[in-house]
Amino acid sequence: MLSFISAKEAAEKWNISQRRVAILCSENRIDGAMMVGNMWIIPSTAEKPVDKRTIRYEKQNVVQLKPFVKWVGGKSQLVNELEKMLPTDGERVLTKYVEPMVGGGALLFNVLSKFDFDKVYISDINAELINAYKAIKNDVDALISKLTEMQLLFLPMDENGRKYFYYTARDKFNNLELNENNSIEKAALFIFLNKTCFNGLYRVNRKGQFNVPMGAYKNPCICDEDNLRNVSNALQNVEIVCGDYSLSKCVIDEESFVYLDPPYRPISETSGFTSYNTDVFDDNEQIRLAHFINEINETGAKIVLSNSDPQNINEEDTFFEDLYKSYKINKVEANRMINSKSDGRGKIKELLICN
């Protein structure tokens, strides 16, 4: 016997508004839907129609992009979960993608691969990282030339030769003050060090100097030319800003999808890596970020925030539940990757917080 559900139930099932369900029914887009009294009922087996007004997001010719650096806390393993949070309700067409703490850009490059937004804005407080983004956007040929030269020199060397090359490059990177004249060279050194250092870490000391030792890779891909060219093409219409996430407030409105990926709150004494720059992202910074999210929430923007789940270690730790009590908190499974001991890795829960 055929069973029916209400428009409200269909809206919850399909993650769209009740008003949108009613419109789809009135347009005869849902098979078997009928009006009873003053309300629509829908067969419980009905599938959500493809909303023509969401097709505008989808690119016809998809070019697969990937981050050009390895980045601690990168979201490659969570991209599928994050993508589900991109609005598909045709009633609400978003025109902007804003990522004010872009890091390695796993979600950014997924979005640039698959979707068309009228405006894309990214920023990060790490000046060296943002310089690399700009170098790829503005002069990818010169950057590829320098990276290819480094790759050809580095790969044939024995271990001692590689160590000398790596630490010489690290010293040069730390002593070279970033400016317009050396931006390409600095970006090439940044990417080289990222591809050859231990675990792809970016860590600085109190003087702001990069201090990660060399890794033990046999054949690191220092210059991924095809991906760099594809990324360069994708970044041409992207606004790239170096600075605090709060600067993005001026571009965020009700047509924006905003994703924030701060340094994660440590879930153990040994996992407290937040030194992407000389400033530590502690609990006070997490609270400041929450205040910022409350501010941009008032604009009507769609907001998603990722962070660690402290209840992996302490079930009584309600830091984020208290901080974001008026938001939806989703727990998703991820792999803990940063640990020198294999028994310190494994499945953990992470938080995706949204409005």
Coordinates of all heavy atoms in Angstrom, one line a residue, residues 127-128 131 169-187 189 202 207-209:
A127 N 52.0 34.6 5.7 CA 52.5 35.4 4.6 C 53.2 34.5 3.5 O 53.0 34.8 2.3 CB 53.4 36.5 5.0
E128 N 54.0 33.5 3.9 CA 54.7 32.7 3.0 C 53.7 31.8 2.2 O 53.9 31.6 1.0 CB 55.7 31.8 3.7 CG 56.7 32.6 4.5 CD 57.7 33.4 3.7 OE1 57.7 33.3 2.4 OE2 58.5 34.2 4.2
N131 N 51.9 34.1 -0.3 CA 52.9 34.4 -1.4 C 52.9 33.3 -2.4 O 53.0 33.5 -3.6 CB 54.3 34.7 -0.8 CG 55.3 35.0 -1.9 OD1 55.1 35.9 -2.6 ND2 56.3 34.1 -2.0
A169 N 69.0 25.4 1.6 CA 67.7 26.0 1.2 C 66.9 26.6 2.3 O 66.3 27.7 2.2 CB 66.9 25.0 0.4
R170 N 66.9 25.9 3.5 CA 66.2 26.3 4.6 C 66.8 27.6 5.2 O 66.1 28.6 5.5 CB 66.2 25.3 5.7 CG 65.1 25.5 6.8 CD 65.1 24.4 7.9 NE 66.3 24.5 8.8 CZ 66.4 23.8 9.9 NH1 65.4 22.9 10.2 NH2 67.4 23.9 10.7
D171 N 68.1 27.7 5.3 CA 68.8 28.9 5.7 C 68.5 30.1 4.8 O 68.3 31.2 5.2 CB 70.3 28.7 5.8 CG 70.7 27.8 7.0 OD1 69.9 27.6 7.9 OD2 71.8 27.3 7.0
K172 N 68.5 29.8 3.5 CA 68.3 30.8 2.5 C 66.8 31.3 2.6 O 66.6 32.6 2.6 CB 68.5 30.3 1.1 CG 68.4 31.4 0.0 CD 68.8 30.8 -1.4 CE 68.8 31.9 -2.4 NZ 69.2 31.4 -3.8
F173 N 65.9 30.4 2.8 CA 64.5 30.8 3.0 C 64.3 31.7 4.2 O 63.6 32.7 4.1 CB 63.7 29.5 3.1 CG 62.2 29.7 3.4 CD1 61.3 30.1 2.4 CD2 61.7 29.6 4.7 CE1 60.0 30.3 2.7 CE2 60.4 29.8 5.0 CZ 59.5 30.2 4.0
N174 N 65.0 31.3 5.3 CA 64.8 32.1 6.5 C 65.5 33.5 6.5 O 65.1 34.4 7.1 CB 65.4 31.3 7.7 CG 64.5 30.2 8.2 OD1 63.2 30.3 8.1 ND2 65.0 29.1 8.7
N175 N 66.6 33.6 5.7 CA 67.3 34.8 5.6 C 66.8 35.7 4.5 O 67.2 36.9 4.4 CB 68.8 34.5 5.4 CG 69.4 33.9 6.6 OD1 69.1 34.2 7.8 ND2 70.3 32.9 6.4
L176 N 66.0 35.2 3.7 CA 65.5 36.0 2.5 C 64.2 36.7 2.9 O 63.2 36.1 3.1 CB 65.2 35.1 1.3 CG 65.1 35.7 -0.1 CD1 66.3 36.5 -0.5 CD2 64.7 34.7 -1.1
E177 N 64.2 38.0 3.1 CA 63.0 38.8 3.5 C 62.1 39.0 2.3 O 62.5 39.5 1.2 CB 63.4 40.1 4.0 CG 62.3 40.9 4.6 CD 62.7 42.2 5.3 OE1 63.9 42.4 5.5 OE2 61.8 43.0 5.6
L178 N 60.9 38.5 2.5 CA 59.9 38.5 1.4 C 59.6 39.9 0.9 O 59.3 40.8 1.6 CB 58.6 37.9 1.8 CG 57.5 37.8 0.8 CD1 57.9 36.9 -0.4 CD2 56.2 37.1 1.4
N179 N 59.8 40.1 -0.5 CA 59.4 41.4 -1.1 C 59.0 41.1 -2.5 O 59.1 39.9 -3.0 CB 60.5 42.4 -1.0 CG 61.8 42.0 -1.6 OD1 61.8 41.5 -2.8 ND2 62.9 42.0 -0.9
E180 N 58.6 42.1 -3.3 CA 58.1 41.9 -4.6 C 59.2 41.4 -5.6 O 58.9 40.6 -6.5 CB 57.7 43.3 -5.2 CG 56.4 43.8 -4.5 CD 55.9 45.1 -5.2 OE1 56.5 45.5 -6.2 OE2 54.9 45.6 -4.7
N181 N 60.5 41.7 -5.3 CA 61.6 41.2 -6.2 C 61.9 39.8 -6.0 O 62.5 39.2 -6.9 CB 62.8 42.1 -5.9 CG 62.6 43.6 -6.3 OD1 61.8 43.8 -7.3 ND2 63.1 44.5 -5.6
N182 N 61.7 39.2 -4.8 CA 62.1 37.8 -4.6 C 60.9 36.9 -4.3 O 61.1 35.8 -3.8 CB 63.1 37.7 -3.5 CG 62.5 38.2 -2.1 OD1 61.3 38.0 -1.9 ND2 63.4 38.7 -1.3
S183 N 59.7 37.3 -4.7 CA 58.5 36.5 -4.3 C 58.4 35.2 -5.0 O 58.0 34.2 -4.3 CB 57.2 37.3 -4.7 OG 57.2 37.6 -6.0
I184 N 58.9 35.1 -6.2 CA 58.9 33.8 -6.9 C 60.0 32.8 -6.3 O 59.7 31.7 -6.0 CB 59.2 34.0 -8.4 CG1 58.1 34.8 -9.0 CG2 59.3 32.6 -9.1 CD1 56.7 34.2 -9.0
E185 N 61.1 33.4 -6.0 CA 62.2 32.6 -5.4 C 61.7 32.1 -4.0 O 61.9 30.9 -3.6 CB 63.5 33.3 -5.3 CG 64.6 32.5 -4.7 CD 65.9 33.3 -4.7 OE1 65.9 34.5 -4.9 OE2 67.0 32.7 -4.4
K186 N 61.1 33.0 -3.2 CA 60.7 32.6 -1.9 C 59.6 31.5 -2.0 O 59.5 30.6 -1.2 CB 60.1 33.9 -1.2 CG 60.1 33.8 0.4 CD 61.5 34.0 0.9 CE 61.6 33.6 2.4 NZ 60.9 34.5 3.3
A187 N 58.7 31.7 -2.9 CA 57.6 30.7 -3.1 C 58.2 29.3 -3.5 O 57.7 28.3 -3.0 CB 56.6 31.1 -4.2
L189 N 61.2 28.2 -2.8 CA 61.9 27.6 -1.6 C 60.8 27.1 -0.6 O 61.0 26.0 0.0 CB 62.7 28.7 -0.9 CG 64.0 29.1 -1.6 CD1 64.6 30.4 -1.0 CD2 65.0 27.9 -1.5
Y202 N 54.6 22.8 8.6 CA 55.1 24.2 8.6 C 55.1 24.7 10.0 O 54.1 24.9 10.6 CB 54.2 25.1 7.7 CG 54.9 26.4 7.5 CD1 55.8 26.7 6.5 CD2 54.6 27.5 8.4 CE1 56.4 27.9 6.4 CE2 55.2 28.7 8.3 CZ 56.1 28.9 7.3 OH 56.8 30.1 7.2
K207 N 61.3 33.4 16.6 CA 61.8 34.4 15.7 C 61.1 34.4 14.3 O 61.5 35.2 13.5 CB 63.3 34.2 15.5 CG 64.1 34.4 16.8 CD 65.6 34.3 16.5 CE 66.4 34.5 17.8 NZ 67.9 34.3 17.5
G208 N 60.2 33.4 14.2 CA 59.5 33.3 12.9 C 60.2 32.5 11.9 O 59.9 32.6 10.7
Q209 N 61.3 31.8 12.3 CA 62.1 31.0 11.3 C 61.6 29.6 11.2 O 61.3 28.9 12.2 CB 63.6 31.1 11.7 CG 64.2 32.5 11.7 CD 65.7 32.4 12.0 OE1 66.1 31.7 12.9 NE2 66.4 33.2 11.2

